Amino acid sequence: MLNFEYKNQTEILFGKGQASQITSRLPKDAKVLLAYGGGSIKKNGVYNDVMASLEGMTVVEFSGIEPNPSFETLIQALPLIKAHNIDFILAVGGGSVIDGAKFIAAAALFEGDPWDILAKGAPFDKALPLGAVLTLPATGSESNGNSVVTKRATQQKLAFGNPVVQPKFAVLDPVYTFTLPEKQISNGVVDAFVHVIEQYLTYPVNAPIQDGFAETIMRTLIDQGPKALSQPDDYDTRANVMWSATMALNGLIGQGVPQDWATHMIGHELTALYGLDHAQTLAIVLPSLMQIQAAQKHQKILQLGRQVFGLTADSDEQLVTQTIAATRQFFEKMGIKTRISEYDLPQQSVDEIMQKLQENGRDSLGEHGDISLDVSKKILEHAY
Ligand code: NZQ
Ligand code: ZN
C-alpha cells in the first residue's frame, strides 16, 4: 500500500427531510449565496424546502449554472458576492452546480485572473465556505474538493482540486432524486461506476480494504442501477444509489492505491468538443481503454471479472474478454451507448479529439503515465 493522509471534512446529512438542518450548520448571521441550475429545484419542491430552512437569513440567489458549468457564467456571480458581502455559498443541484459553486468560492477570494486556477493550476489557500444540497447522485462533488469547469470560448474543459473548496456539509435526501429524468439516473450510475474503476482498475498493491470497498460499491451499482430505472419511486434503491455515488469519489477508496483517470481526461475532450454528457463519454472510452491497456491492467481486470461480475472462464484470456464485454453491457443496460459512431459523430472526430488532447498536454495519462497520444488514438479508434 502507498502512503496517504486522509481526512474528509464534509458532514453528511443523509435521509428524508434533512434539508431542515441546514440553518443549524451555517455560521450565525451568514449572508448566503444560493447557487442553483436551470430551475429543476423550483419544480420539485427542493427550492421550497431549502428556503424554508433559510427563513430569516440573508439569501441572494444565483441561478442558471448550466450542465458542464461554464467559466463565463460562473464569473457573473463575483459582483453579486461583493455587492452583498456574501460569506457562505449553498449549492443546490447536481455536480455541475456544486462544481460551479466551488469555483465561485475560490474565485471570490483569488487575486489575479481566476481562469489561472484551471488553466495554470494556480495555487490558492482560501475560499468562501460552502455547503451542498445534492439532487443528482453521480459525481461525488458533494464531499470532495474537485471541480470541473469549461471555458466555452476555447472549448476547454479543465479540472482543479483543493481541500478548501470541499463542502462543509452535504444534504443527501434520496427523495430529491425522484424527479430525475431517466437519462440522468443512467448518467449518475455510470459516472459513479467509472469513478470506482479509475481508482481500482490499475495494478495490485496488496490493498484488500480499498479493493473490497470498491468491489462492493460496483456490485451495488450493478444491482441497484437498473432497479433505479425500473422502480423510480423506490426510496431504498435511490438511497443506495445515492450513497454509492458519494462513496465512489469521497476519497476513501482511492487512498494508498494507484489511480488512472485517463478515461475521464479523454472523456472531457468529447464533452468540450461535442457537448456529450460526461457519463456518455466515459461509457465510450472505458471499454476500449480496457482493451488497449489489457496487458498493463491484466491482474485487476481478472479480479473485476471474478469479484464484481461473478464470471468464470477456462482461461485468463477468455476472462479478460468477458469482463470487458460485461462492462460494456452494463453501460448499455443502463441505456448509455458505448461507441463514438452511435452519437452521430464522423470518423474525423477522432482527429479532432486528438488535437485537443495534444493542445492540453495529455500525452502521458494513466497509472503508469504510458497512455501517450499514440495510445489514446488507438483507444479512440477502437471506440469509434
Ligand atoms: O440545472 P437543473 O435545472 O438543476 O437540471 C439538472 C441538469 O439539467 C438536472 N437535475 C439535477 N437534479 C435534478 C435534475 N432534474 C430533475 N430532478 C432533479 N432532482 O440534471 C441535469 C444534469 O445535471 P448536472 O449537475 O450537470 O449532472 P451531474 O451531477 O452528472 O454533473 C456533471 C458535471 O460534474 C462534473 C462533470 O464533468 C460535469 O461537468 N464532474 C465532477 C466531478 C467532481 N466534482 O468530483 C467528478 C466527475 O468525474 C465529473 O467530471
Ligand atoms: Zn466522472
Side-chain angles (χ1 to χ4, degrees), residues 120-140:
K120 298 185 182 161
F124 61 93
D125 56 12
K126 51 187 192 300
L128 289 177
L130 68 151
V133 179
L134 184 68
T135 64
L136 196 176
T139 62

Side-chain angles (χ1 to χ4, degrees), residues 68-87:
N68 307 306
S70 75
F71 171 77
E72 287 87 343
T73 298
L74 299 173
I75 52 167
Q76 292 174 32
L78 301 180
L80 271 182
I81 288 176
K82 244 196 176 142
H84 298 276
N85 285 323
I86 296 294
D87 53 18

Side-chain angles (χ1 to χ4, degrees), residues 139 191 195 261 264 278 282:
T139 62
D191 190 21
H195 292 157
W261 296 105
H264 270 70
H278 174 60
L282 307 176

